[in-house]
Amino acid sequence: MQLTPEHESVRDTLTRFIDKEVNPHVDEWERAQIFPAHQVFRRLGELGMLGLTKPAENGGAGLDYSYGAVMAEALAHMHCGGIPMAIGVQTDMATPALAHRGSQELREEFLAPAIAGEYVACLGVSEVGSGSDVASVKTTARREGGDYVIDGGKMWTTNGTQADFCVVLANTSEGSSHKNKSLIVVPMKTPGVSVARKLVKMGMHASDTAQLHFDSVRVPQRYRIGEEGMGFIYQMEQFQIERLWGALNAGAMAQRAIDTTVAYTRERRAFGRSILDNQWVHFKLAELQTEVAALRALSWQGVQEVVAGQDATRTATMAKLKAGRVVRAVADGCLQFWGGMGYMDETPISRIFRDGRLTSIGGGADEVMLQILSKFMGTFPSGH
């Protein structure tokens, strides 16, 4: 896909912002295991970066998804994975259904302030016991008068301790697990919403992740996104974008791993020459670079499909699967060439090693991607 000067302007704006206002603080935010989301998002909102692909009537730029893809890659310029992920949740995971399916009133109340960076959003899909198996979620929302009363809980909720609202997938009726769910916007200050705990993770330290409880949480039915019972379908549509975002960002993170490793091994010397001068090292880096290029090509094929209005589920699924494996191979291969320093918490490659591992889990595990692809191929056993 041919990128324009306008695309590169988005990349340049983000890169300058990251160099000036994010990277100098990343180590501090990683140690604190949280970053000031409202502060960072407000600045991104002022720069027009939180609504690139969102409707102009809600304060967005109304651009096609290729601009969001450029942003997903550019965010990997941050010296951690957690803050890009938190931003990605805001732009490409918690708000696509709201933007495309939400009523005008709902978009004015929640999407517009999210685009402006005034509100932080989170997405409530995964639960204890039903991570990648979205159809099995147990949270319920029963009708009572003009309201929904929500009971249940959500797990691994990115931005969960700082969010202003959560887009919750809940069962609104009995019946087929694919037709009984709805997406509902829940303001986090609503009585009955509680953060059960802030989760401690292996990586993505600067991103706050929460376990949420909903105890008789009452919200008006007008907070439902789109039609009742269509929540599973809307979430599958959101997953296309989420998985492409993950592939694009992970690919750019893998590229950063290679670039920093080339620079480090060129300077580091052993046995009278630079580490990079060893054939195994520069050949291995060339091999890893080829994998990253292949991943990027696949990811951008998915972007083109989205821009053309096509169903990108198959390509997004392949890209997400490939991304998880490429970023793992790249981080592991590169870390080896850093020697003892690669095992130090202070080095960028060790952080990429920890942060990138989530790519094969979040947004649907590798095994779920393989199941989806098997169905596309017609090889998945019938009756399952």
Side-chain angles (χ1 to χ4, degrees), residues 134-189:
V134 175
S136 70
V137 301
K138 300 291 190 291
T139 297
T140 61
R142 71 178 190 278
R143 287 172 172 265
E144 195 171 285
D147 295 336
Y148 283 118
V149 179
I150 303 171
D151 287 286
K154 296 296 176 179
M155 188 66 168
W156 305 294
T157 307
T158 300
N159 299 342
T161 73
Q162 300 187 76
D164 297 284
F165 70 90
C166 184
V167 176
V168 176
L169 185 70
N171 298 310
T172 44
S173 68
E174 301 294 331
S176 166
S177 60
H178 297 106
K179 297 177 181 177
N180 72 336
K181 294 171 174 54
S182 301
L183 283 174
I184 303 166
V185 178
V186 178
M188 293 292 282
K189 290 183 180 177

Side-chain angles (χ1 to χ4, degrees), residues 227-297:
E227 298 176 39
E228 188 171 84
M230 288 292 288
F232 183 84
I233 303 299
Y234 296 160
Q235 184 52 41
M236 291 303 107
E237 291 173 351
Q238 282 194 143
F239 270 145
Q240 273 191 57
I241 301 302
E242 175 173 347
R243 288 165 181 165
L244 274 177
W245 188 96
L248 290 156
N249 184 257
M253 185 191 294
Q255 185 63 59
R256 182 162 59 85
I258 291 172
D259 293 344
T260 56
T261 300
V262 167
Y264 182 76
T265 55
R266 180 171 278 131
E267 296 300 318
R268 183 180 167 219
R269 299 182 68 80
F271 305 107
R273 60 178 175 176
S274 80
I275 298 295
L276 188 60
D277 283 347
N278 291 280
Q279 187 186 65
W280 165 246
V281 177
H282 54 253
F283 273 22
K284 182 64 176 179
L285 289 171
E287 185 180 287
L288 295 174
Q289 182 66 73
T290 303
E291 288 292 299
V292 172
L295 168 61
R296 189 166 192 255

Side-chain angles (χ1 to χ4, degrees), residues 49-115:
M49 292 293 128
L50 296 180
L52 291 174
T53 63
K54 298 297 189 292
E57 64 192 77
N58 302 119
L63 299 168
D64 67 47
Y65 183 64
S66 63
Y67 289 86
V70 167
M71 180 174 178
E73 289 187 333
L75 288 173
H77 185 62
M78 292 184 183
H79 293 168
C80 68
I83 301 171
M85 181 177 67
I87 296 165
V89 167
Q90 180 93 348
T91 57
D92 289 61
M93 301 175 204
T95 55
L98 177 59
H100 295 120
R101 304 290 187 175
S103 67
Q104 184 177 348
E105 182 183 21
L106 200 59
R107 283 185 281 120
E108 286 175 2
E109 191 168 347
F110 294 102
L111 183 62
I115 290 169

Side-chain angles (χ1 to χ4, degrees), residues 6 29 84 94 113 139 166 172 205 216 242-243 250 260 298 338 357 383:
E6 287 76 19
W29 294 340
T139 297
C166 184
T172 44
H205 289 161
S216 297
E242 175 173 347
R243 288 165 181 165
T260 56
L298 183 59
W338 288 66
R357 187 61 181 83

Side-chain angles (χ1 to χ4, degrees), residues 20 22 73:
K20 184 180 179 184
V22 177
E73 289 187 333

Side-chain angles (χ1 to χ4, degrees), residues 321-334:
L321 174 69
K322 186 68 173 171
R325 297 178 173 195
V326 166
V327 77
R328 280 152 67 186
V330 169
D332 188 51
C334 287

